[in-house]
Amino acid sequence: MNKYLEQLVNLSQIDKKIDSYAPRIEGINGELNEKKDEIRSIDEQVETIENEIEELKTQISNTNAHIVEFNNKIKDASKKSGAVKTEKEIKALNLEEDLAKDQLEAANEEISRLERIIDVKHTSEAELKEKKLEIEASLKELENRVSSELEEIEKDRSKVYAQKDSLLGEMNQKVLTFYEKIRKWAKNTAVVPVRKQACYGCFMKINDKTYSNVIKSEDIVTCPHCGRILYKETNEE
Ligand SMILES: [Zn+2]
């Protein structure tokens, strides 16, 4: 094979490899971020629940203050009962006492209701915290797994970069510029094999003359349809 063509085939394979690392790293980080987001969302939910519980506790203590008030009213009424004389006064006092008793009962019921709500909230809070622990454990597991994967990718990547550097050092500038020009639009398919007499970039059949030139591999041959650089694979898959 023509030396320049051989270098181009190598370079295109190296470039393809280099471009493959970013999505792999992105995919790994995406997985990690997904778990971290889940944990953050649980933290927010727990905080909301805790605020709601605080609010309910305030309501309970307010209601307790009312209970003290109603109890005092009932006590006052029974104190006054010795002093009242007329039927009318007794009736009024009884009415006052009954009202206070009703309010007391309602306040006690309200407290039980609020306490039940707090119980439910505590249960969901506990469930969320348990779920958070599970996600944290799987995040840790994932971090351990991917850290070696990332290390492997980094090692591989620096090796490939070194390969590219030394290859670029050997290459002819004109050939390189030609390649970069095609690569601008063809990305990682700037240099493609010919299989079954077809360009593997645009998948069009190439004519016999071009095909025989590709097989001879004496020159850099481009696809007459798309302009990609063509080569004949040494061992066709
Ligand atoms: Zn083509």
Side-chain angles (χ1 to χ4, degrees):
M1 196 188 275
N2 172 297
K3 186 185 116 194
Y4 295 142
L5 181 61
E6 202 177 337
Q7 287 172 333
L8 282 175
V9 171
N10 283 338
L11 182 60
S12 76
Q13 273 157 6
I14 285 172
D15 278 338
K16 205 193 246 171
K17 245 189 202 167
I18 287 173
D19 285 350
S20 76
Y21 295 121
R24 277 164 70 193
I25 293 170
E26 236 168 75
I28 289 169
N29 286 332
E31 252 183 286
L32 289 174
N33 287 336
E34 210 174 286
K35 294 229 181 285
K36 285 177 189 165
D37 284 348
E38 273 179 67
I39 290 171
R40 240 194 313 273
S41 143
I42 288 179
D43 282 341
E44 279 167 16
Q45 289 175 59
V46 166
E47 203 191 321
T48 305
I49 287 178
E50 279 172 354
N51 288 338
E52 285 167 353
I53 289 173
E54 276 316 302
E55 175 59 31
L56 288 162
K57 281 181 178 167
T58 308
Q59 283 181 43
I60 286 176
S61 80
N62 288 342
T63 311
N64 270 323
H66 289 143
I67 284 174
V68 172
E69 205 181 293
F70 301 142
N71 270 325
N72 286 340
K73 268 191 195 165
I74 293 166
K75 259 187 228 158
D76 282 355
S78 71
K79 258 190 227 161
K80 279 186 212 159
S81 70
V84 296
K85 305 253 169 13
T86 68
E87 188 84 0
K88 204 179 163 193
E89 280 174 326
I90 294 170
K91 245 187 187 167
L93 197 60
N94 281 345
L95 207 66
E96 205 179 299
E97 197 179 349
D98 282 349
L99 180 66
K101 277 180 181 166
D102 282 349
Q103 286 172 321
L104 181 66
E105 201 185 312
N108 277 320
E109 270 169 22
E110 176 66 0
I111 287 181
S112 317
R113 189 183 72 88
L114 294 170
E115 279 172 345
R116 278 197 301 274
I117 298 175
I118 288 180
D119 279 348
V120 171
K121 296 216 177 276
H122 273 142
T123 308
S124 356
E125 187 184 5
E127 280 167 4
L128 282 169
K129 284 183 170 167
E130 201 173 313
K131 198 170 149 202
K132 183 183 167 177
L133 286 178
E134 277 171 29
I135 298 170
E136 278 175 337
S138 77
L139 174 64
K140 188 147 241 167
E141 200 183 305
L142 183 66
E143 276 172 339
N144 287 338
R145 186 159 56 78
V146 299
S147 78
S148 54
E149 214 175 311
L150 284 171
E151 223 172 88
E152 208 52 48
I153 291 174
E154 278 312 324
K155 234 196 275 169
D156 228 41
R157 179 151 75 168
S158 53
K159 223 189 282 172
V160 174
Y161 270 127
Q163 278 173 9
K164 182 172 176 172
D165 276 348
S166 80
L167 182 58
L168 289 179
E170 295 164 12
M171 281 181 77
N172 173 293
Q173 197 53 49
K174 262 190 194 155
V175 173
L176 200 55
T177 308
F178 181 59
Y179 164 77
E180 291 298 348
K181 219 165 129 188
I182 299 171
R183 201 173 133 74
K184 253 186 203 145
W185 59 267
K187 309 290 174 213
N188 281 321
T189 63
V191 183
V192 289
V194 172
R195 289 178 195 161
K196 297 190 176 88
Q197 207 177 324
C199 160
Y200 251 63
C202 67
F203 302 100
M204 302 258 290
K205 201 169 162 65
I206 52 172
N207 59 52
D208 292 343
K209 189 173 172 289
T210 309
Y211 187 52
S212 81
N213 283 337
V214 171
I215 289 173
K216 270 189 255 160
S217 294
E218 282 167 1
D219 273 314
I220 292 174
V221 181
T222 55
C223 170
H225 309 288
C226 68
R228 288 179 175 88
I229 298 161
L230 300 173
Y231 71 97
K232 179 93 183 99
E233 285 168 311
T234 33
N235 42 350
E236 205 164 324
E237 288 123 73

